Structure formats: C-alpha cells, structure tokens
Amino acid sequence: MEEIQVIIGGKTASRVISAESIEALAPLLEAYPKVFLVYDRNVAWVAKEIAAGSPLAGMKAIDTSEKAKDLATVQDLCSWLLEAGADRKSLLLAVGGGITTDLAGFAACIYRRGIRFAFVPTTLLAQVDAAIGGKTGVNFLDFKNMLGVIRQPDFTFECAQVLQTLPHRDFLSGAAELLKTFLIDNTGNAYEKAVTMLSEAEVSAPDTLQKLIAAAASVKAGIVGRDEQENGERRHLNLGHTFAHAIEHEARQAGLDITHGEAVAVGILLAARLSEAMGLASKGLAARLEADWTACGLPTSVPFDLGTLTAAMTKDKKAEGDTIHFVLLSSIGQVEIRKISAAEATAQLL
Ligand code: GLY
C-alpha cells in the first residue's frame, strides 16, 4: 500500500491511498462510526465487495449521466442520508467515476453543513484527476459544473483492480488525462513510460498501470497542495481543456458522441500547435505528440473547423471577459500560462 498526502497550509488535508486489492479498504473504514455507500450501478460488483468486508449503515445505487448530474440527484442523496440516519460523524463513501464522486462529494459538503466523505474511483479518469483535489459539484442550467465547492475528501482509495470492467473507450478517455498530467510534470520520465504502456497494450500489466496512476496522483496532489483554490499553478491541470470544452460543446450541438478524454486528447494537440505558433515550443512537439496519440489509440482530430471552436471557447466558465488563461506546452513536462483571447488563439492556428 502506498500513501500520498495532500498537504494544504502545512496540514494533511487528504490522502490518496493506492492498494493492489479492494480488500485493503476495510481497515480504513473502521475509523468511522457509520459508513454510507453510494455507488454507480455499473460498478455494483465493487460496492458488493466493499460491503462484504465492512459493516455499512446504508447503501444506495445511482444512475450516472451528465443529465442526472444535477441538484435533483443531490437532493435525493441528502433525503436518503437523512432518512437513513447519517449524522455529523458519518462518512459518505462514493464508488464510481467522476460523476458519482462529484455528486456524492457535493451532497456530503452540504448535508448538515458538511459531513466527511471519501472516494473509491472506478474509472481511470477519476483515479488520475476527478477524485483528487476536492472539486465537487453539479451541472446547472446547461452549464457544466456550474454549482460546486472545493473541499477535500478524507481519502481517495485507488486500486487498478477495479478498472477491470471499465470499457476500453472509457479507459482511453482516462489515458488522455494520465498523459496530460505527465506533460505537466514528467518526473521519472513518466510520460514516456505511459506512452510505452498504452502503445504496447501493456495495460494488462496491472503493476505498471498502478505505478503510473500513483505517479499521476502524486503530481496532482502536489499541485493541489500548492494551489488548492486554483489561483495559479492548479490552472496547469487545464492543459488542453479550453479547446476540449469547446469541442465537447460543438459535439453536443451536432449530436456527436465524443468523450471528455477524446476531446482533451485533441485539445492538447491544439495547445501544442498553438505553443509552437507562439514560439514557446520547438517545432516538432505537436507532431511528436500526434504520433504518440496514434500509437496509444487516441484521436488526433475532430470534425469541427477551428473557427467554430472560437465562439464556444469564449463561453468557457474560466474565461475572464475576452481573455482566457491558455495553458501552453513549452516541452514535455513544462507548461506555461498565457492570457489571450480565443480569437487570437485560433488566428495563430489558422
Ligand atoms: N480537474 C482539474 C482540477 O481538479 O483542477
């Protein structure tokens, strides 16, 4: 078992615990007088394994979709907690992907003005990104994650074993966030190791995968510890995301099925091209990443022209007036932020 601490203001605010087997969760739950478990129906088997090893005060399955990631579902969760007798000492344990951890984490943050919560992320995307750092919330009036808070979970329990039933497309979606993390911080040549693992389809080697997940968690924990409220360095985690959110917006309008990770993969390539066009990165970086994406099975393009992405980018919730903090890539493991308008960014790429 490996433990990474999220240290905020000199104190341990959260822990990311990596273990080979789900059984290692039971001793962690013993610390709480009552544990309530909410889980994504798709991973009922993980919830059942947890229930077999630990006494639970209540269990609830939820359906997870962007549509159901709303206040009505949070209200349902709070009603269930109240009826089932959850008090200020209870723990709400969420088992599922980012939608589950966002919904349950947000419910835990507002129920009785906040009870403790912890996550068992069951998607690669949630293990390397969504379930670490304390961002939780729901969609509101067609805006993604418009209502939410930043409050740290007691712990995030990471186990590659629970990924065994994850559909390949969802795995690849998480792989894009894994690669993104190592483009921000390439300690130990983790980026190259991840590309090798993904391109050689070595994902059946759970050891390698578990180590890379822990490495990505460590990068994210460090960033969150230094900038929990996203005033500076935490913005680095948005590498590729300004373009990705615009791609996802256009895909929704066009009725196309593009996952968040697929949009992020293409968004990172656009960010790399922009970095080259602005003279921040050496020529060839974008081509190198494109070759890596192809080897890993990630997409390298989307059916939208750059002009159409500009309007969508200005609607990004992180836009400040006309300008956006674009995360640019100077080299593998090195990012920089430039405040420019969406129109300027796309003009550089046309
Ligand atoms: N998903 C980006 C962050 O947690 O800041």
Side-chain angles (χ1 to χ4, degrees):
M1 214 152 75
E2 191 186 327
E3 178 172 320
I4 298 157
Q5 302 201 344
V6 183
I7 313 270
I8 300 174
K11 293 196 182 122
T12 302
S14 185
R15 298 180 297 152
V16 183
I17 294 156
S18 304
E20 272 165 32
S21 145
I22 194 77
E23 285 164 19
L25 178 64
L28 298 171
L29 297 182
E30 281 169 14
Y32 302 91
K34 283 193 223 170
V35 176
F36 293 82
L37 191 157
V38 57
Y39 64 97
D40 175 348
R41 254 179 238 294
N42 294 312
V43 284
W45 70 273
V46 181
K48 279 190 194 133
E49 284 208 14
I50 294 169
S54 301
L56 299 174
M59 247 174 122
K60 183 175 173 66
I62 56 168
D63 293 314
T64 50
S65 65
E66 282 296 335
K67 211 163 179 304
K69 189 178 160 182
D70 62 4
L71 284 175
T73 306
V74 170
Q75 199 175 327
D76 267 5
L77 287 175
C78 292
S79 304
W80 164 65
L81 287 169
L82 190 61
E83 279 159 24
D87 58 27
R88 294 294 311 274
K89 294 207 163 124
S90 302
L91 178 85
L92 181 59
L93 180 69
V95 177
I99 294 178
T100 310
T101 57
D102 268 16
L103 279 165
F106 188 53
C109 288
I110 59 172
Y111 177 73
R112 293 183 188 267
R113 296 208 175 97
I115 61 168
R116 291 178 294 178
F117 61 102
F119 296 147
V120 178
T122 58
T123 63
L124 181 58
L125 194 146
Q127 289 194 352
V128 300
D129 191 40
I132 302 170
K135 281 187 184 174
T136 64
V138 294
N139 302 330
F140 185 61
L141 298 178
D142 275 347
F143 293 96
K144 227 174 144 316
N145 301 331
M146 186 49 86
L147 304 182
V149 294
I150 299 180
R151 182 164 164 260
Q152 300 303 323
D154 273 20
F155 65 84
T156 299
F157 182 86
E158 315 245 80
C159 177
Q161 186 203 351
V162 305
L163 301 178
Q164 64 190 251
T165 50
L166 186 67
H168 186 63
R169 193 168 174 210
D170 292 337
F171 180 84
L172 276 182
S173 186
E177 294 281 3
L178 184 78
L179 293 167
K180 174 209 77 178
T181 307
F182 299 139
L183 286 172
I184 297 167
D185 181 335
N186 194 24
T187 302
N189 292 324
Y191 173 79
E192 288 80 3
K193 286 179 188 160
V195 170
T196 304
M197 178 194 76
L198 293 162
S199 57
E200 292 177 1
E202 273 182 29
V203 283
S204 53
D207 270 12
T208 316
L209 180 59
Q210 182 97 25
K211 277 193 193 117
L212 286 168
I213 293 170
S218 169
V219 171
K220 180 147 187 195
I223 292 174
V224 170
R226 292 185 292 274
D227 177 26
E228 185 193 31
Q229 297 300 316
E230 197 169 321
N231 295 314
E233 189 184 354
R234 189 164 182 170
R235 290 193 178 119
H236 292 177
L237 294 166
N238 297 327
L239 173 64
H241 281 62
T242 302
F243 288 113
H245 291 152
I247 290 166
E248 288 180 281
H249 179 269
E250 288 307 302
R252 275 195 299 278
Q253 304 292 312
L256 290 179
D257 172 27
I258 292 179
T259 67
H260 177 65
E262 287 163 354
V264 167
V266 176
I268 293 172
L269 293 184
L270 291 171
R273 281 179 50 203
L274 179 58
S275 310
E276 283 187 30
M278 292 178 69
L280 290 172
S282 320
K283 290 265 172 262
L285 182 66
R288 149 105 195 257
L289 297 189
E290 195 170 329
D292 290 344
W293 275 202
T294 304
C296 295
L298 289 166
T300 57
S301 64
V302 282
F304 309 115
D305 65 59
L306 281 166
T308 62
L309 298 180
T310 311
M313 280 195 285
T314 53
K315 289 196 197 114
D316 195 292
K317 71 174 179 305
K318 293 195 166 84
E320 287 175 9
D322 275 352
T323 55
I324 300 176
H325 289 98
F326 271 91
V327 187
L328 299 171
L329 193 62
S330 346
S331 60
I332 288 169
Q334 189 76 40
V335 287
E336 288 191 29
I337 294 178
R338 288 288 164 95
K339 239 179 136 181
I340 49 173
S341 72
E344 272 175 88
T346 36
Q348 298 264 7
L349 290 170
L350 286 172

